[in-house]
Amino acid sequence: MNSPGYSKLRRFFLAAALLLVCQPAFAEKRVALVLGNSAYQNAARLTNPVNDGATIATTLKAAGFDVVDSRHDLPAAETRRALRDFADRARDSDIAVVYYAGHGLEVDGTNYLIPVDAKLERDTDVFDEALSLDRVLVAIEPAKRLRLVILDACRDNPFSRNMKRTVASRAIGQGLAKIEPTSPNMLIAYSAKAGSTAADGDGKNSPFTMALAKHLTTPGLDVRRAFGFIRDDVLKNTSNRQEPFVYGSLGGEDVPLVPAKPVAAPVPAPNPQAEARRDYELALQIGNKDALNAFLVQYPEGFYASLAKIQLAKFAAEEARVAATEKARLAEQERARLAAEGAQKTQQVKAEADAKAAEQARIAAEKAKQVAQEQAAEAERNRAATEKTAGTPPAAEKAQADKATNLASLNTGPSPADLTKSVQTELRRVGCLAAAADGDWNAASQRSMALFNRYARTKFDVKLASLDALDAIKLKPSRVCPLVCEHGFKADGDRCSKIACAEGSFLNDDNECEKRRANKPAAKRDDAARPLREAPRPEASAAKPRSSSKQIVCDSVGCRPVASGCHVEFRTTAQGGPYEGGGGNVQICR
């Protein structure tokens, strides 16, 4: 029987999952300006434009537009002011729409909207008394996603018949001229194709406005498809005499004026086995012992209970491996400490035996963990095969399971920052990282990972911290990277000790003590005790040859004075002179 506490917990998880998955996107800001001119002061009154404007304004308000500014029968100055105010509202909008119903005019290929106070006695008056379509396009330019102008202004224009032409070549067309927008994400819809006129209609609204009110704000309907339906309705209601047309283009995504309404999925009938499967998958994705134990409290027997027990055995094996690894590390540290301190041999032998036993226990725990992992993986493969054989769950049931899985996946494994900090801490422990473990995998951390790969003979990616690297470093019980000390210090276990040289020695550049060389005393000459040497007599000295002249002869040996009784002559090589240069001066003695 379900316990009340766990049922509440499960309902909480499901509710949180629904909030995460079904959270709607932020609503777009949509603004609209609606203008309808019927009461023309210098032409016959139009019946429907004001009614058309009111209908479109009501339709857009019902569709949830944030701003719908509806005006009618505006003179030129107030129309310009309305466009200026609307441009400010459209500045931070996503969708901006301008609808105009009334008279329009094309002069020399440029389209104009005609206010109610326009006279247009001459063709040049259109520049002062009317508003160009370009001015309307400027007003909607700030909108980000869609800029839409709808013109029901292709009616038969009475101004063009009485208008004086100041230039005979100036063209005043029927209806509105074709236009190609230059800005992206812009559509301009005419109630009738360029160069043709639109019917004002016999009823309260024009055929074009009735079709707009029917299709334009259909939830989820792309605006281009909406205008396709509008075209079909107008052609049908006017016996193919009037064909609306849209100019401009949009991108590949659907752009509805009104977003689609969310459809609630039907709630399936409760299935005990399906609920057990969903709860098991939720506990498995959360990935800790508490979740699995809570599942076993709810479902103590059955297929999924057996799977949960296998998963718990895997967690227990991992905990035993971690404990054995830590014990082996501490035993190795104790052995190294006793060896460095020169402890008694019996203590060192005992510490070495403890370290060896701890390492064997660690290896056994590692193998047990691998066996438990393989059993859990095999159980999951069998589960997948069993569920596949039993058949695919209904779509609504699968959707709920996916939502629960999405919530559970938020709790699997450490965060990237925590993982990085754990790897850095372990790299510091094995002597490969000197910097602090701050969770920033910077260049120093990458170099330390490269050092670990070098000395541990691994090949982990140095660009990121991974769970595999963390597990491999944890397996090392003691220092991996050699201790590097500054000049004047030497490695002493896990620390650097200052080198102390004996008296009469100094520390050389090779970081070694060298004995100083003793300075030998300089010998002093005692002139008083030293006997005077008798100067050689002139007749005892060997007679030196003297040169009879001041000539000098040079050869390959060098230069010297010419000996007495000798002279210098030039001899060629053939005559016995030097080889260099084909001959030279030689000393001739007779």
Side-chain angles (χ1 to χ4, degrees), residues 200-454:
D200 198 33
D202 298 329
K204 180 181 177 182
N205 297 113
S206 68
F208 182 60
T209 298
M210 288 191 296
L212 282 173
K214 180 179 178 182
H215 298 290
L216 188 60
T217 57
T218 301
L221 181 63
D222 180 69
V223 67
R224 289 160 292 193
R225 292 197 63 199
F227 277 110
F229 294 140
I230 292 168
R231 169 190 173 276
D232 294 344
D233 283 5
V234 173
L235 284 172
K236 180 180 179 181
N237 294 331
T238 60
S239 300
N240 295 328
R241 292 191 301 271
Q242 179 181 337
E243 180 184 5
F245 212 85
V246 179
Y247 301 92
S249 65
L250 299 178
E253 295 183 358
D254 286 351
V255 184
L257 282 188
V258 180
K261 295 179 180 179
V263 178
V267 179
N271 184 340
Q273 189 71 1
E275 289 183 359
R277 178 178 62 82
R278 285 198 301 270
D279 291 346
Y280 170 75
E281 290 176 349
L282 176 60
L284 193 64
Q285 291 294 329
I286 291 175
N288 57 43
K289 293 176 63 176
D290 292 339
L292 290 169
N293 285 325
F295 173 82
L296 287 174
V297 171
Q298 180 73 11
Y299 305 97
E301 301 293 338
F303 175 67
Y304 291 101
S306 300
L307 293 176
K309 292 174 183 177
I310 294 175
Q311 293 294 332
L312 282 174
K314 184 183 75 170
F315 281 115
E318 171 63 15
E319 291 176 354
R321 183 196 68 82
V322 172
T325 301
E326 179 64 15
K327 186 176 180 180
R329 183 181 69 83
L330 294 176
E332 177 62 22
Q333 283 184 350
E334 179 65 13
R335 184 200 63 77
R337 183 186 68 81
L338 292 175
E341 294 177 354
Q344 295 180 0
K345 188 174 181 180
T346 55
Q347 291 181 333
Q348 293 190 36
V349 170
K350 183 179 181 302
E352 186 172 353
D354 292 342
K356 185 176 180 180
E359 178 64 15
Q360 292 175 348
R362 183 195 66 78
I363 295 173
E366 183 69 27
K367 292 180 179 179
K369 173 200 170 186
Q370 292 177 356
V371 171
Q373 285 181 333
E374 291 173 0
Q375 291 177 348
E378 181 65 23
E380 284 301 302
R381 287 192 292 269
N382 293 337
R383 177 175 74 90
T386 302
E387 291 176 351
K388 185 176 180 180
T389 304
T392 305
E397 179 183 319
K398 185 175 184 300
Q400 290 186 4
D402 291 342
K403 293 172 185 176
T405 302
N406 288 338
L407 173 64
S409 63
L410 297 176
N411 299 318
T412 58
S415 66
D418 292 340
L419 175 60
T420 299
K421 196 169 183 179
S422 298
V423 174
Q424 289 174 330
T425 301
E426 289 299 313
L427 286 172
R428 282 175 56 85
R429 181 182 64 80
V430 297
C432 296
L433 177 63
D438 55 2
D440 181 15
W441 195 252
N442 50 27
S445 300
Q446 294 179 18
R447 286 194 298 269
S448 68
M449 193 70 238
L451 284 174
F452 180 83
N453 283 338
R454 175 183 174 186

Side-chain angles (χ1 to χ4, degrees), residues 58-72:
T58 301
T59 300
L60 296 179
K61 288 178 181 178
F65 268 60
D66 299 277
V67 175
V68 178
D69 186 6
S70 180
R71 311 285 187 93
H72 63 88

